[in-house]
Amino acid sequence: MNDWPEGWSGDNRGGRYGRGSSSSQPESARVMRQVRRGPAASPGQAGYGGAPQYAGGVPQQPSYVDGGYAEPPSGGYDSGYNTGQVYGSPGGRGPGGPGDGMYEPRPAPNWRRRIKVTVITLVTVLVVTSVATYFWADSKLNRDVDLSKVIDRPEAGEGTNYLIVGSDSRAGMSAEEKKKLHTGSAEGKRTDSMMILHTGGGAPTLISLPRDSNVTIPSYKGSDSGKLYPATGRQTKLNAAYAEDGPELLVRTVESNTGLHIDHYVEIGFGGFANIVDAVGGVEMDIPQDIKDTKSGADFKKGKQTLNGEQALAFVRTRYALAGSDLDRTKNQQKFLSALANQVATPSTVLNPFKLYPTMGAGLDSLVVDKDMGLFDLADMFWAMKGVSGGEGKSMNMPIAGNSANGNLQWDSAKVKTLVNELKNDDTVTVSGK
């Protein structure tokens, strides 16, 4: 069966150009069939380029004139070769050109939106972390001291007064730790240091209360029994009040003998003190003289050096190797605590979570505070200590007049009265102490 159209069989192709053809002439309309066919031209009509019109209704093509294609005859067929729109897409890009929808240009990034999203994300993370840290830290505070048990309290003045106590508590310490830190194994609790820190509108003031200060034990209510113990005029060392009935009686005794209202109580034991120093990476101190004390374990050469927890505890406990004994020791304690607060508040600690959280954990675990003490109060206390270390505040001992009849240190009553009035009114302290 012959599949070729009439007149196109393999036997009658004649000498046309194409497969098996020796003719150099094109195969007319068969070579380039057009999608659109126009009406057949009349016989003899001039065609493309002046050439005779091809059979089969092939449209006219533009002629090439002076390096470009001439416009096709009006109403004639435009193949698109002159504009490059061979495939029917504007600009000659073929499928996917503008308007095709396949290769839409990528929009410019919205940097304002990206920055906004990034800032919101960072702020959210910071807020969540801060809130979580606050509740974590707040839960670690040991609020074991109830100042509501203290009776006959003086009226509160301007500013805030913290009673800061360093006790010889060995709670939680192993036998090896006691030996290493030279704390001994004495039963009960005593105070190794006592200080009043005043903060307010002006510069902070740090006042050491020597443990051998002579005080009168006032009437008080037992912290555990609730029993009222009337005053007998008994005079003893200040640290004996703590040993007798703990923090509540110590606060009652300080308030009674000074007339100054104590707003908050903060206590730290031996082990906790050493842990804080180690957690912060040590504290740099400028030791004014060689110190060697077998009882405290102190063995220092004069000059600047960084003390670890064990060395720091030995330094603040040393008194037998000092000419002024307890008075010189209180000065060293002030210097060290101020330097410690300054070290804790540095950016290298605050901005480093690997140092900040261990420091906070070590400190908060070992602190004993009153029931009304909050983290903001604690932060206020540390910033005030930092201010004292930086020279923005004043540090001093309670003014001493000499020794009392029982050998204890006797306060200078006139200077103490002036000092207390200045603290109550949040005035600049003009009184000095040795």
Side-chain angles (χ1 to χ4, degrees):
M1 181 177 180
N2 189 351
D3 294 329
W4 291 91
E6 184 179 355
W8 284 75
S9 67
D11 297 329
N12 62 3
R13 284 179 292 173
R16 296 194 180 190
Y17 178 84
R19 290 187 298 268
S21 171
S22 61
S23 173
S24 59
Q25 298 299 323
E27 296 183 9
S28 186
R30 182 167 175 265
V31 177
M32 296 181 63
R33 295 191 178 184
Q34 304 300 322
V35 174
R36 175 182 175 186
R37 295 180 181 274
S42 60
Q45 182 178 354
Y48 165 58
Q53 178 73 32
Y54 287 111
V58 178
Q60 240 180 342
Q61 304 298 315
S63 61
Y64 188 81
V65 179
D66 294 333
Y69 288 101
E71 290 294 328
S74 177
Y77 177 78
D78 182 5
S79 66
Y81 282 106
N82 61 326
T83 62
Q85 301 178 19
V86 177
Y87 298 100
S89 58
R93 294 189 179 185
D100 185 83
M102 295 178 63
Y103 294 93
E104 291 290 338
R106 179 178 294 180
N110 189 338
W111 290 109
R112 180 177 296 180
R113 182 177 181 277
R114 290 186 181 185
I115 293 173
K116 181 179 180 181
V117 171
T118 301
V119 170
I120 292 175
T121 301
L122 291 176
V123 170
T124 301
V125 170
L126 180 61
V127 170
V128 171
T129 302
S130 300
V131 172
T133 299
Y134 176 87
F135 284 105
W136 168 78
D138 188 73
S139 67
K140 282 184 167 293
L141 279 178
N142 300 304
R143 297 182 173 92
D144 298 335
V145 179
D146 188 358
L147 295 183
S148 66
K149 296 180 179 179
V150 181
I151 62 174
D152 300 333
R153 308 191 68 184
E155 185 179 352
E158 300 292 328
T160 304
N161 299 310
Y162 299 89
L163 181 59
I164 304 171
V165 175
S167 76
D168 64 358
S169 171
R170 300 158 178 84
M173 296 175 62
S174 65
E176 182 179 352
E177 289 173 326
K178 292 176 184 178
K179 181 179 179 180
K180 178 182 177 182
L181 298 176
H182 301 273
T183 64
S185 300
E187 297 296 328
K189 290 171 62 177
R190 284 158 292 278
T191 56
D192 255 31
S193 62
M194 290 161 284
M195 304 177 190
I196 294 174
L197 175 65
H198 175 82
T199 67
T205 302
L206 184 62
I207 308 162
S208 285
L209 310 176
R211 57 181 287 177
D212 293 338
S213 298
N214 190 62
V215 294
T216 300
I217 300 297
S219 59
Y220 68 95
K221 183 181 292 186
S223 57
D224 292 329
S225 65
K227 180 181 177 181
L228 181 64
Y229 293 88
T232 61
R234 175 167 55 99
Q235 294 187 339
T236 185
K237 294 179 179 180
L238 180 59
N239 68 336
Y242 180 92
E244 187 172 330
D245 197 50
E248 288 84 359
L249 179 56
L250 178 61
V251 171
R252 169 76 176 123
T253 302
V254 170
E255 289 186 341
S256 176
N257 284 264
T258 63
L260 184 68
H261 181 89
I262 300 298
D263 297 287
H264 293 294
Y265 177 92
V266 181
E267 177 187 327
I268 186 170
F270 283 161
F273 180 82
N275 289 339
I276 293 176
V277 175
D278 285 335
V280 81
V283 176
E284 185 179 77
M285 288 292 298
D286 188 359
I287 299 179
Q289 65 184 68
D290 292 349
I291 299 176
K292 189 173 181 63
D293 185 357
T294 56
K295 290 190 176 182
S296 68
D299 187 4
F300 306 111
K301 296 297 182 182
K302 178 181 178 180
K304 287 187 177 181
Q305 51 204 287
T306 299
L307 307 184
N308 61 24
E310 178 184 350
Q311 295 168 327
L313 185 58
F315 177 74
V316 299
R317 294 183 62 218
T318 295
R319 63 171 175 163
Y320 294 104
L322 305 176
S325 188
D326 199 39
L327 291 177
D328 283 349
R329 179 170 73 165
T330 57
K331 293 177 182 178
N332 285 341
Q333 290 170 345
Q334 288 179 347
K335 291 177 182 177
F336 186 85
L337 289 179
S338 296
L340 175 60
N342 186 66
Q343 178 67 29
V344 170
T346 57
S348 62
T349 299
V350 175
L351 300 179
N352 183 354
F354 297 102
K355 184 180 287 187
L356 175 63
Y357 284 99
T359 301
M360 291 179 62
L364 296 173
D365 279 339
S366 56
L367 289 179
V368 176
V369 300
D370 65 272
K371 294 186 179 298
D372 295 327
M373 185 81 163
L375 290 178
F376 291 108
D377 299 311
L378 198 60
D380 175 62
M381 184 190 79
F382 271 102
W383 280 106
M385 295 284 286
K386 182 179 183 296
V388 172
S389 174
E392 301 172 3
K394 181 174 184 176
S395 60
M396 57 181 288
N397 278 323
M398 185 66 81
I400 302 295
N403 288 1
S404 62
N406 58 11
N408 299 332
L409 295 174
Q410 187 65 49
W411 292 348
D412 187 321
S413 57
K415 288 186 176 181
V416 169
K417 183 177 180 180
T418 301
L419 172 63
V420 169
N421 285 335
E422 290 174 341
L423 294 177
K424 280 185 174 181
N425 296 322
D426 199 24
D427 295 332
T428 301
V429 172
T430 61
V431 179
S432 62
K434 294 183 179 181

